[in-house]
């Protein structure tokens, strides 16, 4: 067994210039190891490069340089084996409207060279809840059903690694639940390594053991979900004092700085309450004219991570 399910080194992708748009460097030298058996989240805002990365893994986009090993197989050296190890549910709904779900699964299995005797179309239809619709044309399926069919197609060759690109973007709660149940089951019961991309922090938090944050074509952090959330826990309170304040509030777990006339206090929301912070302000003899609080959002995390990386020795 390979050390990592996916091993990526110095991966770069520049999309060539098109009429009306300049060349775009979508991945700027990504290094990434995705552990076997994990549920791994690629998190980042729109345009970060997540789909580009996924589509290179899937063999749908040609990388500019770097190496990609899937289940130990170098994409360039063993293209067939590396392709067989991975199943991808793409972000786009790219289904042939004239295929029924059963036919779509059979054709996909054929493409992957799965012998007829080893095909599992019935079991997959059952799992994705499309047994009733097995013989309906894809164009008659609802958006949710099409997404489920895409999941089914990703599974026909029983890959060791399943990749889901924004599986829940614009999806209703019921379908989201169903997707998550399936994904958890595949991970726990078959030990399948799951890689998903999302721009929903909460989703990554609930599903993933480990997370890599991608921004502007770079991995800016990779850590276990719990460690990362620790960093995300930062809150801040911005206080506008009534008059000049000579002293600054202080206390355990408080980071205090002046920003113009305001005082900004940063603290960990899970360890310190807003009440504690206000208490420290009062103890410093500061009268409050105005106050507002800010939760760290993804944007802040990116800023914090990129600036701390820059400041590190
Ligand atoms: P994400 O999935 O994180 O939203 P993408 O990988 O889709 O990000 O896009 C990364 C960057 O590459 C974006 O700036 C996007 O506009 C650009 N891009 C993506 N696909 C293409 C393409 N086929 N041609 C040119 N630019 C592209
Ligand atoms: Mg995308």
């Amino acid at each position: 067994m390979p050390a990592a399910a996916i091993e990526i080194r110095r991966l770069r992708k520049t999309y060539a210039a098109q009429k009306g748009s300049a060349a775009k460097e979508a991945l700027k030298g990504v290094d990434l190891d995705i552990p076997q058996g994990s549920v791994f989240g690629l998190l980042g805002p729109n345009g970060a490069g997540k789909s580009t990365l996924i589509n290179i893994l899937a063999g749908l986009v040609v990388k500019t340089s770097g190496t990609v090993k899937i289940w130990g197989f170098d994409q360039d050296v063993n293209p067939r084996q590396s392709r067989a190890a991975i199943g991808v549910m793409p972000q786009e709904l790219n289904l042939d409207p004239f295929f029924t779900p059963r036919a779509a699964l059979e054709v996909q299995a054929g493409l992957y060279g799965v012998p007829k005797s080893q095909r599992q179309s019935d079991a997959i239809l059952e799992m994705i809840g499309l047994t009733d619709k097995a013989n309906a044309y894809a164009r008659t399926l609802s958006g949710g059903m099409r997404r489920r069919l895409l999941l089914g197609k990703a599974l026909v060759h029983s890959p060791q690694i399943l990749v889901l690109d924004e599986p829940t973007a614009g999806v209703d709660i019921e379908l989201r639940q169903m997707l998550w149940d399936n994904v958890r089951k595949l991970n726990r019961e078959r030990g399948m390594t799951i890689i998903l991309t999302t721009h929903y922090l909460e989703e990554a938090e609930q599903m993933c053991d480990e997370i890599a944050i991608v921004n502007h074509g770079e991995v800016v952090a990779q850590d276990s979900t719990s460690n990362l959330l620790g960093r995300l826990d930062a809150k801040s309170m911005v206080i506008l004092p009534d008059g000049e304040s000579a002293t600054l509030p202080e206390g355990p777990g408080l980071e205090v700085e002046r920003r113009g006339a305001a005082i900004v206090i940063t603290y960990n929301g899970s360890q310190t309450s807003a009440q504690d912070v206000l208490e420290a302000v009062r103890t410093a003899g500061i009268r409050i004219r105005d106050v507002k609080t800010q939760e760290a959002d993804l944007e802040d995390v990116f800023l914090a991570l990129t600036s701390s990386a820059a400041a590190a020795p």
Side-chain angles (χ1 to χ4, degrees), residues 51-63:
S51 291
T52 300
L53 182 62
I54 296 299
N55 290 336
I56 290 172
L57 294 179
L60 299 170
V61 165
V62 180
K63 68 187 183 230

Side-chain angles (χ1 to χ4, degrees), residues 82-159:
S82 70
R83 206 168 88 95
I86 195 168
V88 178
M89 177 178 165
Q91 184 170 5
E92 314 275 311
L93 286 172
N94 58 349
L95 288 168
D96 186 322
F98 297 106
F99 281 157
T100 66
R102 184 188 302 282
L105 295 179
E106 288 291 322
V107 167
Q108 184 81 354
L111 286 175
Y112 276 92
V114 181
K116 281 232 153 69
S117 62
Q118 287 173 31
R119 295 197 187 161
Q120 329 167 44
S121 299
D122 287 328
I124 293 175
L125 286 166
E126 177 78 36
M127 173 188 164
I128 58 178
L130 286 183
T131 304
D132 291 352
K133 293 279 181 182
N135 300 314
Y137 284 125
R139 65 183 144 80
T140 68
L141 302 178
S142 70
M145 290 174 182
R146 290 178 199 205
R147 281 208 170 264
R148 275 139 64 188
L149 182 52
L150 286 177
L151 173 62
K153 281 179 70 180
L155 295 169
V156 293
H157 57 297
S158 309

Side-chain angles (χ1 to χ4, degrees), residues 52-83:
T52 300
L53 182 62
I54 296 299
N55 290 336
I56 290 172
L57 294 179
L60 299 170
V61 165
V62 180
K63 68 187 183 230
T64 303
S65 62
T67 56
V68 173
K69 281 189 191 173
I70 299 174
W71 213 250
F73 297 109
D74 188 314
Q75 245 187 353
D76 299 329
V77 182
N78 300 101
R80 215 168 45 81
Q81 289 93 328
S82 70
R83 206 168 88 95

Side-chain angles (χ1 to χ4, degrees), residues 14 33 48 50 66 71 73 87 151 155 180 195 220 279 286-287 301:
T14 303
D33 285 316
K50 304 182 297 296
W71 213 250
F73 297 109
L151 173 62
L155 295 169
W180 290 149
I195 304 168
V220 296
E279 200 59 50
I286 298 167
R287 286 218 309 270
V301 178

Side-chain angles (χ1 to χ4, degrees), residues 15-16 18 24-26 44-53 91 165-166:
Y15 290 104
Q18 303 274 334
K24 173 76 199 177
E25 195 179 15
N46 281 327
K50 304 182 297 296
S51 291
T52 300
L53 182 62
Q91 184 170 5
D165 194 3
E166 304 269 355

Side-chain angles (χ1 to χ4, degrees), residues 20-312:
S21 65
K24 173 76 199 177
E25 195 179 15
L27 296 175
K28 303 173 182 168
V30 167
D31 290 323
L32 197 61
D33 285 316
I34 299 183
Q36 279 186 33
S38 61
V39 179
F40 191 95
L42 274 177
L43 194 62
N46 281 327
K50 304 182 297 296
S51 291
T52 300
L53 182 62
I54 296 299
N55 290 336
I56 290 172
L57 294 179
L60 299 170
V61 165
V62 180
K63 68 187 183 230
T64 303
S65 62
T67 56
V68 173
K69 281 189 191 173
I70 299 174
W71 213 250
F73 297 109
D74 188 314
Q75 245 187 353
D76 299 329
V77 182
N78 300 101
R80 215 168 45 81
Q81 289 93 328
S82 70
R83 206 168 88 95
I86 195 168
V88 178
M89 177 178 165
Q91 184 170 5
E92 314 275 311
L93 286 172
N94 58 349
L95 288 168
D96 186 322
F98 297 106
F99 281 157
T100 66
R102 184 188 302 282
L105 295 179
E106 288 291 322
V107 167
Q108 184 81 354
L111 286 175
Y112 276 92
V114 181
K116 281 232 153 69
S117 62
Q118 287 173 31
R119 295 197 187 161
Q120 329 167 44
S121 299
D122 287 328
I124 293 175
L125 286 166
E126 177 78 36
M127 173 188 164
I128 58 178
L130 286 183
T131 304
D132 291 352
K133 293 279 181 182
N135 300 314
Y137 284 125
R139 65 183 144 80
T140 68
L141 302 178
S142 70
M145 290 174 182
R146 290 178 199 205
R147 281 208 170 264
R148 275 139 64 188
L149 182 52
L150 286 177
L151 173 62
K153 281 179 70 180
L155 295 169
V156 293
H157 57 297
S158 309
Q160 289 92 337
I161 305 165
L162 173 66
V163 181
L164 309 130
D165 194 3
E166 304 269 355
T168 57
V171 150
D172 65 43
I173 292 182
E174 210 175 324
L175 176 57
R176 187 177 302 198
Q177 201 54 52
M178 187 255 185
L179 282 169
W180 290 149
D181 289 348
N182 275 331
V183 163
R184 283 208 182 87
K185 227 169 150 178
L186 289 166
N187 178 252
R188 288 192 191 139
E189 292 175 11
R190 296 203 216 168
M192 208 178 263
T193 303
I194 311 282
I195 304 168
L196 59 96
T197 76
T198 181
H199 56 275
Y200 300 124
L201 193 57
E202 208 181 280
E203 186 162 282
E205 188 178 328
Q206 285 170 12
M207 289 297 299
C208 302
D209 312 318
E210 198 164 316
I211 291 176
I213 294 185
V214 186
N215 196 28
H216 296 307
E218 292 177 303
V219 173
V220 296
Q222 180 182 355
D223 213 333
S224 69
T225 306
S226 51
N227 283 346
L228 216 47
L229 286 173
R231 305 198 215 173
L232 299 181
D233 190 30
K235 292 190 174 188
S236 56
M237 194 180 284
V238 182
I239 290 176
L240 199 57
D242 198 6
E244 286 284 300
S245 69
T247 41
L248 286 175
E250 50 183 31
L254 304 186
E255 262 179 57
V256 185
E257 59 169 329
R258 285 185 198 275
R259 201 179 290 165
I263 298 169
V264 180
I265 306 168
T266 309
Y267 58 101
N268 266 7
S270 60
Q271 286 157 26
T272 307
S273 69
Q275 187 64 44
D276 297 339
V277 179
L278 289 171
E279 200 59 50
V281 171
R282 197 169 313 145
T283 307
I286 298 167
R287 286 218 309 270
I288 300 172
R289 181 138 63 92
D290 196 9
V291 61
K292 64 180 178 185
T293 57
Q294 292 169 340
E295 303 255 341
D297 62 12
L298 212 47
E299 194 81 31
D300 295 330
V301 178
F302 289 134
L303 286 176
L305 288 171
T306 41
S307 61
S308 70

